[in-house]
DNA sequence: TAGTAAATTCTCACTTTGAGCATAATGAGG
DNA sequence: CCTCATTATGCTCAAAGTGAGAATTTACTA
């Protein structure tokens, strides 16, 4: 009588290589879908916990043992992607995993640039072109299309708060909000897959190469969470080798947050937070004066309640003073 | 061949009355369990989204329409509570909902004090007695019981960081960490229900009146999330009437965070953050000089990226300066 | 009319930010 | 060997933000 219920376990496995955040993708196991995040169904008999089930699937599909793993969100909209595979109702439990660059070799799967999938999220070189040339204009159009004044006002407000405006500024953590807004406005391909009967034209192919299922939504959730958590948990160190220079640390954070930081102040924060300690050794391949190699001070976990790489109010546009 | 899979939708519905945070409980629908949070199974056919399913169950069981709702976490450990009802594997998707005190009347169900269920979380009057007289000593014993030095050191570290120590201080957001630690240490009744064959004695009845299933764990998750989010989202206002005095606002925040705040500084933060605006009206039943009634400035949502009731470094013990 | 209870205002001594300038150490190119 | 470009590190400064409390108001109560 009742439709069958299934649960998928999905992993956004993130690393940072060459100043780019990357996510591990695999060819779709079924073979008929585009590239996907590693995922597989929860086996109610075999998987003792959800996380163990996830680890098993990742191990099987990529050969990778995960260290840091964190649950993100459970998606279950009936009319959105994934679901309704063959008449069954399918939920997706999404996870974020962090791995070191070192592990990138020899595994199966490919490391896709996160910003190739979510291009509007990288503001390290200023506002990206896609945003200025494509997204903002179309969002403007979407606002104007609103049926009545109230709708238009509401839409304008959402656009301003998620994508920033003169008064609001860019909140790097609202990655999911931005993706969902683009989805609603019909600016990402996923929107078409889901509401087939839409009358709108296809979005620009180019800033739009979705992953299988709702995996881009999962990635957006992962990036948002990661950006937020970076500030109060020492997650970056899961992505860095044992020792690293302060610049390397900064570049890694910048890659994830998608924003440039003030060098001296960044170092001051890291040092004042006693997050790292110098190893007398130097790294000389810096291109300039050699830099000292530092390592993460694990003891900090026992000293302070919420240690993280304190991102300040972010250098660009600040919310104006009270 | 494969075991049946089911998904439950569970709601921690929180309000604040009389300076106490409360959670809505209902008599267990099945009738043979203790008091529970409102919950019910996801209907794969009827419920279009998980959240709609949740709202439907809450409506049915309590007659309440929810406004603010947020997904918390999905629990699925096989050997822990809820699961394995009648041979099926059961997951629990937990939600947090916030409602106004006004709505507390006429509904079915009872408003249980959150701190009656999680007594060690209320530090408004200083460290609660349960903590000093029962929990800390037992945690100390649990640390000493560790098989080897490494285990003991590890346990000590976890206790210090979750429950605070001289060097670490109390992190009000680690509600779930604390509950899980108590669970592992066998200091909460849930631990016995799950591992029947334990040799330890029953924990003190008294600081231990668990809800059905894993509902205390869900409540711990909810409180932790709420405490964290308060700082960067204007959630408190979901719990307050249209207008309120600044002291009322402060008391509500204190009730949730479980800590006392410095009055003048709290007001400064709220006003500088332009979170509220005065209505010329006064509330005279204050017992002293009448206080002005304020209202939430919704516009703030369009002005700043992360408005919240900035809880400062919290008055008591601070992490020592670098 | 004095006393009590809050609400509101202000101070004050630090700390923490946000921005830059100045110096130091290397490798590359002449 | 000297000069430059390049990156590492130090140091300074002014502007905000914090943590604690004292001082002043305005009602209500006895």
């Amino acid at each position: 009588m009742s439709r069958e219920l299934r649960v998928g376990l999905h992993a956004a496995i993130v690393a940072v290589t060459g100043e780019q955040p990357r996510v591990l993708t695999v060819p779709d196991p079924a073979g008929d879908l585009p590239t996907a995040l590693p995922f597989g169904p929860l086996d109610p008999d075999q998987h003792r916990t959800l996380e163990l089930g996830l680890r098993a699937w990742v191990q099987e599909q990529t050969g990778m043992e995960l260290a840091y793993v964190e649950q993100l969100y459970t998606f279950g909209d009936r009319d959105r992607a994934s679901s309704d595979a063959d008449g069954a109702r399918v939920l997706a439990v999404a996870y974020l995993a962090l791995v070191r660059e070192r592990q990138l070799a020899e595994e199966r799967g490919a490391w896709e640039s996160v910003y190739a999938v979510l291009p509007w999220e990288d503001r390290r070189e200023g506002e990206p072109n896609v945003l200025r040339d494509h997204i903002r204009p179309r969002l403007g159009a979407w606002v104007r299309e609103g049926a009545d004044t109230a709708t238009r006002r509401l839409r304008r407000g959402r656009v301003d708060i998620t994508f920033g405006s003169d008064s609001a500024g860019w909140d790097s953590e609202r990655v999911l909000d931005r993706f969902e807004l683009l989805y609603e406005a019909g600016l990402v391909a996923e929107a078409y897959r889901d509401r087939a009967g839409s009358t709108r034209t296809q979005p620009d192919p180019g800033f739009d190469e979705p992953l299988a299922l709702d995996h881009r939504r999962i990635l957006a959730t992962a990036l948002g969470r990661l950006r937020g958590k970076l500030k109060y948990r020492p997650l970056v160190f899961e992505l860095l080798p044992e020792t690293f220079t302060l610049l390397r640390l900064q570049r890694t954070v910048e890659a994830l947050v998608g924003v440039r930081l003030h060098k001296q102040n960044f170092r001051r924060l890291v040092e004042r937070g006693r997050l790292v300690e110098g190893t007398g050794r130097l790294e000389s391949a810096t291109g300039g004066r050699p830099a000292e190699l530092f390592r993460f001070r694990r003891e900090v976990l026992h000293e302070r309640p919420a240690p993280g790489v304190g991102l300040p109010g972010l250098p660009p546009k600040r919310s104006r003073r009270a």
Side-chain angles (χ1 to χ4, degrees), chain A:
Chain A
M1 30 160 282
S2 168
R3 198 145 50 138
E4 192 197 345
L5 188 55
R6 285 184 300 195
V7 168
L9 303 169
H10 306 247
I13 305 174
V14 174
V16 176
T17 346
E19 309 203 1
Q20 283 298 328
R22 312 210 178 242
V23 61
L24 186 56
T25 58
V26 296
D28 177 65
D32 52 349
L33 289 174
T35 299
L37 300 181
F39 78 101
L42 166 71
D43 181 333
D45 300 304
Q46 300 304 310
H47 298 147
R48 205 151 47 75
T49 69
L50 300 178
E51 190 179 311
L52 285 174
L54 180 90
R55 286 172 187 273
W57 279 118
V58 169
Q59 165 71 51
E60 175 167 332
Q61 290 173 14
T62 71
M64 189 176 285
E65 287 292 346
L66 297 180
Y68 182 89
V69 173
E70 164 185 349
Q71 187 185 301
L72 286 174
Y73 199 80
T74 298
F75 298 95
D77 302 5
R78 188 176 53 191
D79 311 312
R80 202 154 159 185
S82 81
S83 321
D84 294 293
D86 45 333
R89 178 75 180 267
V90 184
L91 308 188
V93 184
Y95 284 80
L96 164 66
L98 303 180
V99 300
R100 298 227 155 58
E101 195 181 348
R102 296 192 287 92
Q103 297 187 21
L104 300 202
E106 62 186 306
E107 317 296 349
R108 283 158 283 171
W111 288 98
E112 175 79 77
S113 160
V114 169
Y115 296 133
V117 182
L118 303 169
W120 53 88
E121 292 295 340
D122 185 2
R123 300 174 72 86
R124 286 176 293 176
E125 310 305 326
E127 175 145 322
N129 294 333
V130 235
L131 234 188
R132 212 187 42 250
D133 301 341
H134 293 265
I135 300 180
R136 284 202 193 281
R138 287 176 183 230
L139 284 176
W142 177 72
V143 168
R144 286 188 299 277
E145 276 166 21
D148 49 75
T149 320
T151 310
R152 286 192 290 275
R153 184 194 308 280
L154 215 64
R155 289 186 175 182
R156 164 61 55 201
R158 282 189 63 196
V159 170
D160 285 354
I161 194 98
T162 53
F163 282 91
S165 67
D166 319 309
S167 61
W170 177 266
D171 183 349
S172 67
E173 294 178 39
R174 291 187 192 267
V175 187
L176 184 60
D177 293 347
R178 284 187 281 270
F179 182 74
E180 295 290 75
L181 186 55
L182 294 179
Y183 179 94
E184 271 187 58
L187 300 188
V188 293
E190 284 88 342
Y192 297 87
R193 191 186 50 200
D194 297 345
R195 30 173 160 139
S198 171
T199 59
R200 295 182 56 96
T201 59
Q202 280 288 333
D204 242 74
F207 71 91
D208 217 350
E209 197 124 338
L211 301 168
L213 305 172
D214 243 1
H215 285 179
R216 194 151 65 152
R217 180 150 68 142
I218 290 176
L219 181 59
T221 310
L223 183 60
R225 176 81 128 259
L226 183 48
R227 285 177 172 182
K229 214 153 178 180
L230 225 46
K231 288 163 192 153
Y232 60 97
R233 289 295 129 113
L235 294 190
V236 226
F237 304 106
E238 300 288 339
L239 300 165
L240 286 167
E242 180 63 22
T243 63
F244 45 81
T245 66
L246 291 181
L247 185 59
R248 171 88 180 273
L249 173 61
Q250 180 179 347
R251 293 289 180 238
T252 305
V253 172
E254 289 174 339
L256 294 169
V257 183
V259 159
R260 286 260 170 254
L261 302 171
H262 183 274
K263 186 159 160 175
Q264 293 91 328
N265 292 347
F266 178 81
R267 300 161 94 99
R268 178 171 60 189
L269 282 178
V270 168
E271 285 174 352
R272 195 176 38 63
R274 310 218 314 155
L275 281 167
V276 299
E277 64 190 354
T279 71
R281 297 185 298 125
L282 296 181
E283 161 72 59
S284 43
T286 55
R289 169 176 170 177
E292 182 167 8
L293 285 166
F294 289 78
R295 81 162 60 83
F296 174 44
R297 275 187 71 246
R298 301 201 170 278
E299 307 88 293
V300 82
L301 293 171
H302 302 281
E303 295 170 357
R304 300 190 306 142
V309 182
L311 302 200
L314 299 188
K317 189 170 3 185
R318 302 194 44 205
S319 59
R320 70 175 164 301
R321 28 184 267 80

